[in-house]
Amino acid sequence: MIISFESEINHSPELVFPWIEDPEKAMQWQKNVQSGEFIQKNPNIIGTTFREVIEEDGNSLSMDGTITKYVKNKLIGFHIKSRIHAFDVAYAVEGIGKATRL
């Protein structure tokens, strides 16, 4: 299954992208993510592993992730797996005038 979503944000890609790549900032808009930690940071970013714990309706789920794609201020992709599922996510940002298409 492929799900896609597109949104226009009234800021430059350089201001938008950190809200995707920085776990602390991402937790501010991903309200069900309760905690996150890097397991192993790779200097090339790709291959970096991390763990997030999400909570929904009083239930928590630990998810392990690996960064699979990375182009600064343009693209970041993850492979996520947990005890109940595995999936891939990619966020791409593109400057459109003074705004950003996510």
XYZ file of all heavy atoms in Angstrom:
819
model
N 0.842 -1.157 0.000
C 0.000 0.000 0.000
C 0.901 1.238 0.000
O 1.885 1.297 0.721
C -0.882 0.007 1.253
C -1.647 1.261 1.399
S -2.808 1.427 2.815
C -2.466 0.128 3.904
N 0.537 2.210 -0.796
C 1.254 3.472 -0.834
C 0.277 4.573 -0.445
O -0.815 4.679 -0.998
C 1.833 3.749 -2.235
C 2.871 2.691 -2.580
C 2.431 5.149 -2.286
C 3.420 2.819 -3.981
N 0.682 5.363 0.532
C -0.106 6.498 0.981
C 0.749 7.735 0.758
O 1.927 7.747 1.117
C -0.467 6.374 2.474
C -1.297 5.116 2.712
C -1.196 7.627 2.952
C -1.514 4.801 4.176
N 0.170 8.760 0.164
C 0.931 9.994 -0.009
C 0.096 11.176 0.450
O -1.135 11.137 0.448
C 1.366 10.165 -1.464
O 0.248 10.354 -2.293
N 0.799 12.213 0.837
C 0.176 13.434 1.323
C 1.070 14.590 0.907
O 2.294 14.476 0.952
C 0.041 13.392 2.849
C -0.472 14.680 3.434
C -1.822 14.979 3.412
C 0.403 15.590 3.995
C -2.296 16.163 3.946
C -0.062 16.781 4.526
C -1.411 17.072 4.504
N 0.481 15.680 0.528
C 1.238 16.855 0.120
C 0.683 18.068 0.842
O -0.526 18.204 0.999
C 1.104 17.034 -1.394
C 1.996 18.083 -1.969
C 1.894 18.106 -3.486
O 2.331 17.131 -4.124
O 1.359 19.098 -4.007
N 1.597 18.929 1.292
C 1.179 20.138 1.984
C 2.127 21.268 1.620
O 3.314 21.041 1.384
C 1.201 19.910 3.497
O 0.750 21.057 4.183
N 1.616 22.471 1.600
C 2.444 23.641 1.360
C 2.649 24.368 2.679
O 1.690 24.618 3.414
C 1.764 24.559 0.346
C 2.670 25.646 -0.163
C 2.033 26.425 -1.299
O 1.626 25.794 -2.297
O 1.944 27.652 -1.164
N 3.910 24.689 2.978
C 4.272 25.344 4.231
C 4.909 26.679 3.885
O 5.793 26.739 3.029
C 5.229 24.453 5.053
C 4.546 23.114 5.343
C 5.643 25.153 6.346
C 5.455 22.050 5.889
N 4.526 27.712 4.562
C 4.927 29.069 4.212
C 6.307 29.437 4.769
O 6.469 30.508 5.365
C 3.860 30.047 4.698
C 3.739 31.255 3.806
O 4.270 31.266 2.712
N 3.038 32.261 4.278
N 7.285 28.556 4.592
C 8.670 28.796 5.014
C 9.596 28.095 4.029
O 9.173 27.202 3.298
C 8.925 28.271 6.426
C 8.176 29.026 7.482
N 8.537 30.287 7.903
C 7.078 28.703 8.194
C 7.687 30.700 8.829
N 6.788 29.754 9.024
N 10.858 28.437 4.064
C 11.842 27.846 3.155
C 12.155 26.408 3.554
O 11.978 26.024 4.719
C 13.139 28.663 3.188
O 13.789 28.496 4.443
N 12.658 25.590 2.612
C 13.051 24.215 2.944
C 14.068 24.148 4.083
O 14.025 23.238 4.906
C 13.653 23.685 1.640
C 12.963 24.461 0.572
C 12.775 25.845 1.167
N 14.952 25.138 4.172
C 15.966 25.147 5.230
C 15.353 25.322 6.616
O 15.931 24.891 7.613
C 17.001 26.255 4.975
C 17.833 26.045 3.727
C 17.123 26.421 2.426
O 16.099 27.154 2.454
O 17.588 25.958 1.369
N 14.180 25.943 6.689
C 13.479 26.077 7.969
C 12.545 24.902 8.237
O 12.297 24.547 9.386
C 12.678 27.383 8.011
C 13.508 28.663 8.073
C 12.602 29.885 8.011
C 14.352 28.703 9.332
N 12.023 24.279 7.194
C 11.077 23.166 7.344
C 11.799 21.852 7.638
O 11.383 21.084 8.513
C 10.209 23.027 6.065
C 9.366 21.757 6.109
C 9.330 24.259 5.888
N 12.883 21.573 6.923
C 13.530 20.257 6.995
C 13.969 19.847 8.411
O 13.787 18.687 8.787
C 14.713 20.202 6.026
C 15.182 18.807 5.742
C 14.469 17.978 4.891
C 16.338 18.310 6.327
C 14.893 16.693 4.622
C 16.771 17.027 6.072
C 16.046 16.208 5.211
N 14.521 20.751 9.225
C 14.896 20.335 10.586
C 13.739 19.781 11.408
O 13.946 18.975 12.319
C 15.455 21.625 11.211
C 15.962 22.400 10.051
C 14.968 22.119 8.939
N 12.502 20.173 11.093
C 11.341 19.660 11.821
C 11.056 18.199 11.464
O 10.280 17.527 12.139
C 10.115 20.532 11.567
C 10.250 21.847 12.264
C 10.814 22.991 11.761
C 9.888 22.131 13.606
N 10.805 23.964 12.723
C 10.231 23.469 13.867
C 9.287 21.384 14.625
C 9.999 24.080 15.096
C 9.055 21.993 15.844
C 9.406 23.320 16.070
N 11.688 17.716 10.411
C 11.547 16.318 10.017
C 12.735 15.510 10.504
O 12.589 14.413 11.032
C 11.426 16.193 8.479
C 10.252 16.998 7.971
C 11.310 14.727 8.063
C 10.258 17.194 6.470
N 13.951 16.042 10.353
C 15.150 15.266 10.651
C 15.562 15.288 12.123
O 16.272 14.397 12.572
C 16.322 15.715 9.774
C 16.912 17.050 10.148
C 18.184 17.375 9.406
O 18.858 16.464 8.885
O 18.518 18.572 9.340
N 15.132 16.267 12.891
C 15.507 16.383 14.301
C 14.433 15.725 15.162
O 13.303 16.214 15.225
C 15.657 17.859 14.662
C 16.033 18.090 16.119
O 15.827 17.197 16.975
O 16.529 19.194 16.412
N 14.762 14.614 15.838
C 13.748 13.900 16.632
C 13.054 14.770 17.679
O 11.857 14.627 17.908
C 14.528 12.765 17.303
C 15.738 12.582 16.459
C 16.059 13.935 15.882
N 13.777 15.677 18.314
C 13.164 16.537 19.332
C 12.095 17.445 18.715
O 11.028 17.636 19.293
C 14.233 17.377 20.040
C 15.174 16.558 20.902
C 14.469 15.864 22.054
O 13.593 16.486 22.697
O 14.783 14.692 22.312
N 12.385 17.995 17.552
C 11.400 18.850 16.876
C 10.249 18.010 16.328
O 9.092 18.415 16.406
C 12.060 19.644 15.756
C 12.952 20.742 16.272
C 13.523 21.561 15.150
C 14.357 22.682 15.749
N 14.929 23.555 14.755
N 10.557 16.850 15.771
C 9.515 15.995 15.205
C 8.504 15.563 16.271
O 7.307 15.437 15.985
C 10.134 14.781 14.521
N 8.974 15.357 17.505
C 8.062 14.953 18.578
C 7.034 16.046 18.880
O 5.965 15.755 19.414
C 8.850 14.592 19.838
C 9.539 13.246 19.736
S 10.597 12.853 21.141
C 9.499 13.056 22.514
N 7.330 17.291 18.525
C 6.388 18.377 18.791
C 5.185 18.334 17.857
O 4.126 18.843 18.190
C 7.106 19.720 18.688
C 8.123 19.914 19.794
C 8.805 21.253 19.704
O 8.160 22.274 19.488
N 10.116 21.261 19.861
N 5.341 17.750 16.676
C 4.188 17.659 15.765
C 3.698 16.229 15.593
O 2.596 16.013 15.101
C 4.490 18.303 14.412
C 5.618 17.717 13.622
C 6.935 18.061 13.699
C 5.539 16.699 12.631
N 7.678 17.310 12.818
C 6.841 16.465 12.146
C 4.485 15.956 12.098
C 7.125 15.522 11.162
C 4.779 15.015 11.114
C 6.076 14.815 10.657
N 4.471 15.250 16.008
C 4.023 13.854 16.022
C 3.611 13.548 17.466
O 4.389 13.033 18.249
C 5.135 12.913 15.566
C 5.545 13.118 14.140
C 6.709 12.223 13.749
O 7.476 11.757 14.583
N 6.838 11.986 12.467
N 2.408 13.906 17.796
C 1.945 13.903 19.187
C 1.924 12.523 19.840
O 2.004 12.420 21.057
C 0.562 14.544 19.289
C 0.551 15.996 18.869
C 1.457 16.820 19.747
C 1.409 18.285 19.358
N 2.360 19.092 20.076
N 1.842 11.446 19.064
C 1.807 10.117 19.692
C 3.203 9.571 19.973
O 3.341 8.549 20.626
C 0.986 9.131 18.861
C 1.553 8.927 17.464
O 2.319 9.748 16.971
N 1.154 7.863 16.816
N 4.268 10.240 19.526
C 5.635 9.801 19.828
C 5.989 10.298 21.225
O 6.036 11.495 21.486
C 6.654 10.312 18.787
C 8.067 9.889 19.187
C 6.312 9.793 17.394
N 6.206 9.351 22.145
C 6.475 9.692 23.539
C 7.964 9.832 23.843
O 8.350 10.568 24.736
C 5.864 8.632 24.462
C 4.365 8.556 24.348
C 3.708 9.894 24.664
O 3.923 10.448 25.722
N 2.932 10.411 23.722
N 8.797 9.094 23.107
C 10.239 9.190 23.328
C 10.965 8.723 22.077
O 10.405 8.013 21.240
C 10.677 8.352 24.536
O 10.477 6.970 24.279
N 12.202 9.136 21.987
C 13.029 8.730 20.866
C 14.495 8.803 21.256
O 14.884 9.628 22.083
N 15.274 7.911 20.683
C 16.711 7.908 20.963
C 17.463 7.355 19.761
O 16.945 6.514 19.024
C 17.017 7.058 22.190
C 16.717 5.573 21.985
C 17.074 4.715 23.180
O 18.048 5.026 23.884
O 16.352 3.731 23.417
N 18.661 7.864 19.551
C 19.524 7.291 18.535
C 20.189 6.060 19.118
O 20.626 6.069 20.268
C 20.596 8.292 18.098
C 20.073 9.385 17.225
C 19.924 10.671 17.712
C 19.711 9.125 15.910
C 19.431 11.680 16.918
C 19.216 10.129 15.095
C 19.076 11.412 15.607
N 20.254 4.990 18.351
C 20.962 3.785 18.770
C 22.395 3.861 18.268
O 23.330 3.658 19.019
C 20.252 2.516 18.250
C 18.848 2.442 18.859
C 21.064 1.272 18.567
C 17.959 1.396 18.248
N 22.546 4.180 16.989
C 23.877 4.339 16.409
C 23.807 5.421 15.343
O 23.026 5.322 14.398
C 24.370 3.034 15.789
C 25.761 3.148 15.207
C 26.249 1.819 14.643
O 25.529 0.834 14.628
N 27.477 1.807 14.188
N 24.614 6.467 15.511
C 24.668 7.548 14.526
C 25.764 7.249 13.517
O 26.885 6.933 13.884
C 24.944 8.885 15.200
C 23.783 9.441 15.961
C 24.104 10.842 16.462
C 22.936 11.450 17.178
N 23.220 12.825 17.609
N 25.421 7.364 12.261
C 26.370 7.180 11.174
C 26.771 8.569 10.674
O 25.894 9.394 10.426
C 25.715 6.363 10.054
C 26.667 6.005 8.953
O 27.562 6.771 8.620
N 26.474 4.841 8.375
N 28.063 8.839 10.498
C 28.465 10.169 10.045
C 27.888 10.541 8.676
O 27.722 11.719 8.364
C 29.984 10.116 9.992
C 30.386 8.733 10.302
C 29.188 7.965 10.745
N 27.535 9.555 7.866
C 26.928 9.818 6.558
C 25.409 9.896 6.640
O 24.747 9.958 5.612
C 27.320 8.720 5.564
C 28.810 8.670 5.347
O 29.464 9.702 5.286
N 29.356 7.487 5.246
N 24.842 9.838 7.825
C 23.411 9.866 8.125
C 22.714 8.568 7.695
O 22.046 7.932 8.501
C 22.686 11.087 7.515
C 23.385 12.400 7.889
C 21.222 11.108 7.921
C 23.416 12.732 9.347
N 22.871 8.160 6.437
C 22.254 6.907 5.981
C 22.851 5.755 6.791
O 24.054 5.655 6.962
C 22.467 6.700 4.473
C 21.716 7.790 3.696
C 22.009 5.310 4.032
C 21.945 7.790 2.207
N 21.970 4.913 7.302
C 22.399 3.809 8.154
C 22.252 4.106 9.632
O 22.365 3.207 10.465
N 21.994 5.366 9.994
C 21.756 5.725 11.395
C 20.527 4.963 11.893
O 19.523 4.859 11.190
C 21.534 7.245 11.534
O 22.755 7.911 11.191
C 21.104 7.631 12.937
N 20.622 4.413 13.101
C 19.500 3.662 13.674
C 18.966 4.405 14.901
O 19.698 5.117 15.585
C 19.916 2.235 14.054
O 21.029 2.283 14.945
C 20.287 1.421 12.822
N 17.683 4.208 15.150
C 17.022 4.908 16.244
C 15.851 4.078 16.746
O 15.431 3.105 16.126
C 16.556 6.302 15.799
C 15.573 6.270 14.654
C 14.206 6.245 14.892
C 16.015 6.245 13.346
C 13.298 6.219 13.838
C 15.124 6.225 12.278
C 13.762 6.212 12.533
N 15.333 4.485 17.885
C 14.153 3.839 18.463
C 13.178 4.921 18.902
O 13.569 5.926 19.482
C 14.544 2.985 19.663
C 13.363 2.294 20.342
C 13.812 1.238 21.346
N 14.504 0.176 20.623
C 15.754 -0.232 20.887
N 16.444 0.310 21.859
N 16.308 -1.203 20.189
N 11.906 4.707 18.600
C 10.832 5.588 19.054
C 9.793 4.754 19.776
O 9.566 3.598 19.431
C 10.137 6.279 17.879
C 10.927 7.349 17.221
C 10.151 8.062 16.132
O 9.142 7.547 15.630
O 10.577 9.164 15.786
N 9.187 5.355 20.761
C 8.062 4.723 21.451
C 6.848 5.595 21.200
O 6.876 6.804 21.459
C 8.329 4.568 22.954
C 7.097 4.001 23.655
C 9.542 3.681 23.200
N 5.819 4.981 20.634
C 4.575 5.704 20.408
C 3.524 5.206 21.395
O 3.578 4.075 21.863
C 4.067 5.572 18.955
C 3.752 4.124 18.612
C 5.059 6.153 17.977
C 2.982 3.976 17.311
N 2.596 6.086 21.716
C 1.516 5.727 22.633
C 0.198 6.176 22.028
O 0.078 7.285 21.516
C 1.716 6.388 23.987
C 0.700 5.917 25.005
C 1.007 6.444 26.386
O 2.180 6.403 26.795
O 0.056 6.897 27.033
N -0.759 5.261 22.080
C -2.093 5.574 21.579
C -3.113 4.830 22.423
O -3.002 3.626 22.625
C -2.213 5.154 20.108
C -3.465 5.655 19.449
C -3.447 5.421 17.946
O -2.402 5.623 17.308
O -4.499 5.023 17.431
N -4.080 5.545 22.932
C -5.149 4.968 23.751
C -4.600 4.162 24.925
O -5.110 3.087 25.252
C -6.082 4.104 22.905
C -6.785 4.892 21.825
O -7.096 6.074 22.074
O -7.021 4.334 20.735
N -3.519 4.639 25.539
C -2.943 3.972 26.703
C -2.027 2.807 26.388
O -1.479 2.186 27.288
N -1.860 2.469 25.118
C -0.968 1.384 24.711
C 0.296 1.965 24.098
O 0.235 2.939 23.357
C -1.648 0.478 23.683
C -2.875 -0.192 24.252
O -2.836 -0.780 25.321
N -3.991 -0.084 23.550
N 1.443 1.344 24.396
C 2.692 1.834 23.820
C 3.293 0.772 22.901
O 3.050 -0.422 23.049
C 3.686 2.230 24.906
O 4.074 1.111 25.659
N 4.065 1.258 21.942
C 4.699 0.392 20.958
C 6.085 0.933 20.667
O 6.238 2.115 20.343
C 3.871 0.354 19.673
C 4.412 -0.512 18.534
C 4.391 -1.995 18.915
C 3.604 -0.266 17.272
N 7.092 0.086 20.791
C 8.464 0.450 20.473
C 8.729 0.140 19.004
O 8.406 -0.947 18.520
C 9.430 -0.339 21.369
O 10.762 -0.015 21.043
N 9.311 1.112 18.305
C 9.605 0.942 16.887
C 11.081 1.256 16.647
O 11.586 2.278 17.118
C 8.736 1.870 16.039
C 7.255 1.627 16.237
S 6.178 2.486 15.056
C 6.803 4.138 15.060
N 11.763 0.379 15.930
C 13.158 0.589 15.556
C 13.210 1.079 14.120
O 12.489 0.583 13.253
C 13.954 -0.712 15.687
C 14.101 -1.152 17.134
O 14.086 -0.284 18.025
O 14.226 -2.358 17.381
N 14.078 2.053 13.886
C 14.160 2.629 12.549
C 15.584 2.748 12.057
O 16.534 2.788 12.840
N 15.707 2.811 10.746
C 16.984 3.029 10.076
C 16.764 4.105 9.018
O 15.788 4.038 8.256
C 17.486 1.747 9.387
O 17.597 0.714 10.372
C 18.843 1.965 8.732
N 17.660 5.088 8.967
C 17.582 6.095 7.910
C 18.122 5.462 6.635
O 19.249 4.973 6.599
C 18.358 7.359 8.288
C 17.728 7.998 9.529
C 18.378 8.359 7.110
C 18.463 9.209 10.070
N 17.302 5.449 5.596
C 17.639 4.762 4.347
C 17.954 5.717 3.200
O 18.572 5.321 2.215
C 16.489 3.845 3.914
O 15.286 4.637 3.794
C 16.273 2.714 4.923
N 17.481 6.971 3.317
C 17.716 7.978 2.275
C 17.973 9.307 2.969
O 17.340 9.605 3.991
C 16.484 8.142 1.383
C 16.052 6.905 0.659
C 14.740 7.149 -0.077
C 14.254 5.859 -0.717
N 12.960 6.025 -1.359
N 18.872 10.107 2.407
C 19.120 11.404 3.015
C 19.794 12.344 2.026
O 20.839 12.023 1.470
C 20.005 11.273 4.257
C 20.205 12.576 4.981
C 19.243 13.054 5.865
C 21.334 13.352 4.764
C 19.406 14.256 6.524
C 21.511 14.560 5.417
C 20.539 15.002 6.300
O 20.712 16.200 6.948
N 19.154 13.475 1.803
C 19.744 14.593 1.077
C 19.374 15.831 1.882
O 18.178 16.165 1.993
C 19.213 14.706 -0.376
C 19.831 15.912 -1.071
C 19.467 13.430 -1.155
N 20.347 16.489 2.479
C 20.118 17.631 3.372
C 19.143 18.633 2.760
O 19.300 19.051 1.615
C 21.456 18.311 3.685
C 21.359 19.494 4.611
C 21.117 19.044 6.016
C 21.173 20.227 6.980
N 20.702 19.872 8.287
N 18.145 19.005 3.543
C 17.121 19.985 3.174
C 16.266 19.582 1.983
O 15.562 20.415 1.413
C 17.736 21.371 2.927
C 18.259 21.986 4.195
O 17.698 21.806 5.266
N 19.353 22.703 4.086
N 16.309 18.280 1.596
C 15.515 17.829 0.455
C 14.751 16.532 0.720
O 13.598 16.421 0.358
C 16.407 17.627 -0.776
C 16.974 18.912 -1.327
C 17.724 18.647 -2.602
C 18.381 19.900 -3.109
N 17.514 20.745 -3.874
N 15.408 15.536 1.344
C 14.814 14.204 1.419
C 15.349 13.441 2.621
O 16.552 13.479 2.912
C 15.157 13.419 0.142
C 14.778 11.945 0.097
C 13.268 11.782 -0.008
C 15.466 11.284 -1.082
N 14.456 12.742 3.314
C 14.869 11.788 4.345
C 13.897 10.613 4.308
O 12.682 10.803 4.202
C 14.955 12.426 5.755
C 15.631 11.477 6.747
C 13.597 12.898 6.234
C 16.105 12.150 8.020
N 14.446 9.411 4.331
C 13.634 8.198 4.300
C 14.008 7.276 5.437
O 15.162 7.243 5.865
N 13.027 6.531 5.926
C 13.224 5.626 7.053
C 12.623 4.256 6.751
O 11.593 4.172 6.082
C 12.481 6.129 8.302
C 12.694 7.562 8.639
C 11.780 8.535 8.261
C 13.803 7.950 9.364
C 11.956 9.857 8.582
C 13.994 9.280 9.702
C 13.075 10.234 9.315
N 13.228 3.216 7.293
C 12.583 1.905 7.372
C 12.289 1.709 8.852
O 13.186 1.803 9.689
C 13.491 0.788 6.851
C 12.851 -0.554 6.982
N 11.805 -0.955 6.173
C 13.077 -1.563 7.857
C 11.423 -2.173 6.531
N 12.174 -2.558 7.556
N 11.028 1.452 9.171
C 10.567 1.318 10.550
C 10.026 -0.095 10.742
O 9.300 -0.603 9.894
C 9.429 2.322 10.860
C 9.798 3.738 10.450
C 8.995 2.215 12.310
C 10.765 4.442 11.331
N 10.369 -0.698 11.882
C 9.793 -2.011 12.200
C 9.474 -2.084 13.687
O 10.116 -1.454 14.518
C 10.723 -3.144 11.784
C 12.055 -3.140 12.475
C 12.961 -4.242 11.954
C 14.313 -4.131 12.631
N 15.255 -5.108 12.184
N 8.436 -2.848 13.977
C 8.020 -3.093 15.356
C 7.575 -4.542 15.448
O 7.649 -5.289 14.477
C 6.871 -2.157 15.739
O 5.668 -2.586 15.132
N 7.029 -4.908 16.586
C 6.562 -6.286 16.762
C 5.308 -6.574 15.942
O 4.954 -7.729 15.722
C 6.310 -6.599 18.236
C 5.260 -5.761 18.883
C 5.035 -6.147 20.354
N 4.271 -5.155 21.060
C 2.965 -4.969 20.937
N 2.266 -5.740 20.141
N 2.347 -4.017 21.628
N 4.632 -5.518 15.437
C 3.389 -5.753 14.694
C 3.446 -5.348 13.225
O 2.561 -5.704 12.463
C 2.186 -5.051 15.358
C 2.381 -3.537 15.403
C 1.934 -5.618 16.747
C 1.146 -2.770 15.828
N 4.471 -4.584 12.815
C 4.513 -4.154 11.418
C 5.895 -3.664 11.009
O 6.767 -3.462 11.859
C 3.478 -3.093 11.134
C 3.544 -1.855 12.004
N 4.609 -1.504 12.795
C 2.651 -0.862 12.182
C 4.369 -0.369 13.421
N 3.176 0.035 13.066
N 6.051 -3.492 9.707
C 7.246 -2.870 9.127
C 6.775 -2.010 7.955
O 5.860 -2.388 7.228
C 8.231 -3.927 8.660
N 7.390 -0.841 7.810
C 6.986 0.053 6.725
C 8.113 1.031 6.414
O 9.062 1.180 7.182
C 5.697 0.805 7.070
C 5.775 1.616 8.340
C 6.116 2.956 8.307
C 5.483 1.036 9.568
C 6.180 3.696 9.473
C 5.540 1.772 10.744
C 5.892 3.102 10.691
N 7.986 1.683 5.268
C 8.942 2.692 4.836
C 8.230 4.035 4.744
O 7.064 4.105 4.345
C 9.529 2.330 3.473
C 10.367 1.063 3.554
O 11.380 1.072 4.270
O 10.000 0.066 2.911
N 8.942 5.085 5.127
C 8.423 6.444 5.089
C 9.467 7.323 4.423
O 10.660 7.172 4.678
C 8.162 6.988 6.517
C 7.703 8.428 6.481
C 7.183 6.129 7.271
N 9.030 8.247 3.580
C 9.943 9.222 2.992
C 9.288 10.589 3.032
O 8.095 10.728 2.745
C 10.286 8.840 1.557
N 10.066 11.585 3.432
C 9.637 12.970 3.418
C 10.523 13.711 2.426
O 11.744 13.656 2.527
C 9.806 13.627 4.787
C 8.894 13.092 5.853
C 9.345 12.136 6.756
C 7.590 13.553 5.979
C 8.518 11.648 7.755
C 6.749 13.075 6.969
C 7.230 12.126 7.857
O 6.401 11.648 8.841
N 9.897 14.403 1.492
C 10.637 15.205 0.527
C 10.146 16.639 0.631
O 8.944 16.878 0.772
C 10.427 14.682 -0.888
N 11.069 17.584 0.588
C 10.699 18.993 0.595
C 11.241 19.647 -0.668
O 12.312 19.299 -1.163
C 11.197 19.733 1.863
C 10.586 19.146 3.107
C 12.700 19.719 1.964
N 10.464 20.589 -1.188
C 10.835 21.280 -2.417
C 10.463 22.747 -2.278
O 9.332 23.078 -1.886
C 10.067 20.661 -3.589
C 10.232 21.385 -4.887
C 9.303 20.847 -5.973
O 8.361 20.099 -5.665
O 9.533 21.218 -7.126
N 11.416 23.620 -2.553
C 11.138 25.040 -2.511
C 10.231 25.439 -3.665
O 10.462 25.038 -4.809
N 9.185 26.207 -3.353
C 8.282 26.745 -4.382
C 8.098 28.227 -4.067
O 7.275 28.590 -3.229
C 6.942 25.985 -4.439
C 6.328 25.814 -3.043
C 7.081 24.637 -5.095
C 4.919 25.269 -3.040
N 8.894 29.044 -4.699
C 8.888 30.467 -4.371
C 9.446 30.652 -2.962
O 10.522 30.176 -2.649
N 8.675 31.313 -2.101
C 9.112 31.528 -0.712
C 8.533 30.480 0.238
O 8.654 30.600 1.444
C 8.707 32.926 -0.252
C 9.440 34.020 -0.994
C 9.056 35.384 -0.463
C 9.840 36.454 -1.229
N 9.560 37.795 -0.727
N 7.920 29.439 -0.314
C 7.291 28.393 0.506
C 7.969 27.050 0.226
O 8.921 26.958 -0.536
C 5.798 28.311 0.186
N 7.439 26.017 0.857
C 7.955 24.661 0.711
C 6.805 23.708 0.473
O 5.787 23.779 1.155
C 8.713 24.226 1.989
O 9.845 25.075 2.158
C 9.167 22.784 1.915
N 6.982 22.812 -0.491
C 6.033 21.722 -0.695
C 6.612 20.516 0.039
O 7.722 20.097 -0.213
C 5.850 21.413 -2.168
C 4.863 20.264 -2.409
C 4.634 19.991 -3.873
N 4.007 21.151 -4.501
C 4.513 21.784 -5.564
N 5.621 21.370 -6.125
N 3.888 22.833 -6.075
N 5.853 19.964 0.973
C 6.249 18.770 1.718
C 5.507 17.604 1.137
O 4.307 17.644 0.945
C 5.891 18.927 3.202
C 6.041 17.693 4.085
C 7.490 17.254 4.168
C 5.455 17.947 5.447
